[in-house]
Amino acid sequence: MEKVYIINAQNYDPQEIAGAVSKAAETLNVSLKKESVVLLADCPWAHAKYAPHAHTHPQFVNGVASAFKNANLKIVANSLTGFPTGYSFRFAEYGPIASQLKAQLIPLEEAATQKLAIKNGKVISNAKLPSLWMNAGLRVAMPKLRQSTLVPFAGALRQLQTLLPQGEQLNESHRLPEKMIDLLSAAPLDLIVVDAIQVLHKGGELSGLPLDLGLIIVGTNPVAVDTICAVALGLNPEDVNFLREATERGFAPASLDQIQILGDLTLTDLQKRSAKVELADPNPVNFPLPAQVKVIRSEKARQSGVSGVLADVLYMLKNAGISMKSAPQTTIVIGAVDEIPRGENEYSTLIFMDDTSRGDVTGYGRIIRFAGRNIALSQVLRDLPYAMKAVNVQAELGVDFMIAKLITNLRRLVPRR
């Protein structure tokens, strides 16, 4: 039977977190006395306006890291495709924490990788994982528990995807529930410490709003940990698509009754606490938009593709105070659809979200197509509101963002090990 340890933690006190994690690890028979420790933070992007809460809290990183005495610490992360991780580190305020801990702070897109063949019912061709992760004495994941618009939520299994190079993360991302499980047997993982002191709800992985849930969830099996994470968010684990995929492929545990819950809270306590969580509708068709803006989606379009990306961006813009009331008539199309509202004038804008999107373009003066089957969230955030004359995100990010991308590209020439 798998074991998951739940800690009651009402604030981000590093000393309390360190003590609780040490106790949980001891109970789970995980030795923290390792010479080389790699801590994987969850940092898909960090930005004061557009993604202020999506990353593992810096004092949570501090607390978990402080549980390791006299270890050679590396704190690593990998942001979503198109977002330089070094830029995210700065807004997440990881630099001062790493200096205080005398730890190396390493963006994974700048790290050396090694090829890995994955055969687990499905195949990822030429998958690559960071050498520093594969060769570490102890590998610790620190996912931030968040609602997702791509899959039901982002937890331990979702974070495994961040070990892949950014470009590879994007490949077949419309099949995300399956891809998350593809990595399960290939990416070694010794300890999972979930930051659920504050979870994100009412949005996507970047756009969710913070909610005090007061939990730290600790385990060694990502399926077991995510099963408990599902309960913490008020979900039935059996309804979570990637957990069903794990069960179908024979990964244990297959149900809650195969998990022993240890620590400060019982399953009943967890279910009561989850009542505070409010999950947003992930379907962009249902997002409240001005009357002249419509989203039309094919029934065949998967939620884990551009549908989920678009929803996250729409929530991001809403939370950032960006209005679309002055946008021209705009129709956003996902997949091949039978009917598109007729364009009214030369300013009417038709946006096809990927290569599979098509329909009648009659009456539209502007037709825009996002190229590719899978579109990076960073591209949609940059180009969609600009096309709708709502905001120029690229200009807002400014020179700092461009310099960060340039530095990342230069550092890739000499990968870190």
Side-chain angles (χ1 to χ4, degrees):
M1 180 172 284
E2 296 293 340
K3 298 177 181 180
V4 176
Y5 196 104
I6 305 177
I7 299 164
N8 185 49
Q10 297 303 316
N11 56 69
Y12 286 100
D13 184 302
Q15 290 186 336
E16 291 184 8
I17 293 170
V21 169
S22 296
K23 183 178 179 181
E26 182 180 1
T27 304
L28 296 171
N29 297 316
V30 176
S31 174
L32 303 185
K33 297 180 180 178
K34 300 290 184 180
E35 182 177 343
S36 171
V37 177
V38 178
L39 304 173
L40 178 64
D42 207 351
C43 196
W45 191 38
H47 186 272
K49 181 176 180 179
Y50 293 107
H53 308 293
H55 55 280
T56 308
H57 195 285
Q59 293 306 326
F60 190 88
V61 176
N62 189 2
V64 174
S66 297
F68 300 91
K69 307 297 183 183
N70 303 317
N72 176 14
L73 292 174
K74 293 183 176 71
I75 300 170
V76 304
N78 201 5
S79 292
L80 294 174
T81 305
F83 293 125
T85 307
Y87 182 92
S88 301
F89 280 165
R90 179 152 58 89
F91 279 91
E93 300 181 346
Y94 287 168
I97 298 298
S99 297
Q100 176 185 330
L101 295 166
K102 298 181 180 179
Q104 297 182 64
L105 186 61
I106 302 175
L108 285 181
E109 76 258 46
E110 300 173 10
T113 60
Q114 56 192 65
K115 289 185 179 180
L116 194 68
I118 298 176
K119 295 182 179 180
N120 203 9
K122 305 285 178 82
V123 177
I124 299 179
S125 302
N126 299 321
K128 298 177 182 178
L129 292 178
S131 298
L132 60 82
W133 179 262
M134 301 298 290
N135 300 327
L138 191 72
R139 294 158 285 244
V140 182
M142 300 180 293
K144 175 78 173 181
L145 185 54
R146 299 162 286 152
Q147 182 188 356
S148 172
T149 52
L150 297 164
V151 288
F153 68 91
L157 288 164
R158 178 72 176 106
Q159 195 192 16
L160 286 179
Q161 288 292 302
T162 69
L163 291 170
L164 293 170
Q166 286 193 355
E168 200 164 314
Q169 287 184 46
L170 195 59
N171 292 340
E172 294 189 274
S173 54
H174 60 287
R175 295 181 52 248
L176 186 57
E178 296 92 335
K179 286 175 64 65
M180 289 165 65
I181 307 307
D182 284 345
L183 274 182
L184 188 54
S185 63
L189 187 58
D190 301 302
L191 186 67
I192 305 156
V193 187
V194 181
D195 177 4
I197 298 175
Q198 271 192 344
V199 300
L200 298 193
H201 69 160
K202 297 183 179 180
E205 293 181 22
L206 293 185
S207 61
L209 300 177
L211 170 71
D212 293 333
L213 204 60
L215 299 172
I216 301 174
I217 301 171
V218 186
T220 57
N221 181 319
V223 177
V225 167
D226 271 1
T227 300
I228 298 303
C229 286
V231 176
L233 291 177
L235 297 167
N236 180 350
E238 295 179 2
D239 295 334
V240 175
N241 52 13
F242 58 85
L243 290 176
R244 288 199 308 269
E245 179 77 16
T247 298
E248 290 169 4
R249 296 205 207 173
F251 289 103
S255 61
L256 271 170
D257 58 12
Q258 297 176 13
I259 301 173
Q260 181 182 1
I261 297 177
L262 307 169
D264 301 333
L265 281 80
T266 66
L267 182 61
T268 300
D269 295 330
L270 192 63
Q271 290 168 332
K272 289 179 179 178
R273 199 167 291 194
S274 72
K276 300 187 293 183
V277 178
E278 298 179 42
L279 299 178
D281 189 336
N283 188 347
V285 171
N286 300 326
F287 189 87
L289 291 165
Q292 78 277 18
V293 180
K294 298 185 183 301
V295 177
I296 301 176
R297 175 185 174 188
S298 166
E299 293 182 356
K300 296 180 180 180
R302 299 188 67 167
Q303 185 61 35
S304 55
V306 293
S307 293
V309 169
L310 175 60
D312 205 353
V313 168
L314 292 175
Y315 281 112
M316 290 171 72
L317 296 173
K318 175 187 174 183
N319 295 341
I322 306 300
S323 173
M324 299 186 192
K325 291 182 180 179
S326 61
Q329 180 198 11
T330 303
T331 303
I332 302 170
V333 178
I334 301 172
V337 299
D338 295 330
E339 187 175 350
I340 294 176
R342 184 183 179 92
E344 298 174 356
N345 54 56
E346 61 181 309
Y347 302 106
S348 296
T349 302
L350 182 61
I351 301 175
F352 291 119
M353 286 299 295
D354 64 11
D355 285 347
T356 70
S357 300
R358 60 181 183 271
D360 185 1
V361 302
T362 302
Y364 286 91
R366 300 173 69 229
I367 301 173
I368 298 169
R369 179 178 292 279
F370 285 78
R373 175 64 187 268
N374 297 289
I375 314 300
L377 186 148
S378 57
Q379 181 184 353
V380 177
L381 176 62
R382 183 189 67 220
D383 294 344
L384 181 73
Y386 183 76
M388 297 173 66
K389 303 184 184 302
V391 64
N392 187 340
V393 175
Q394 183 71 47
E396 285 194 0
L397 296 180
V399 176
D400 284 353
F401 189 80
M402 298 303 296
I403 290 175
K405 292 184 74 169
L406 177 60
I407 290 173
T408 295
N409 291 333
L410 291 174
R411 286 178 175 172
R412 281 176 177 160
L413 300 176
V414 185
R416 301 172 69 172
R417 299 185 179 274

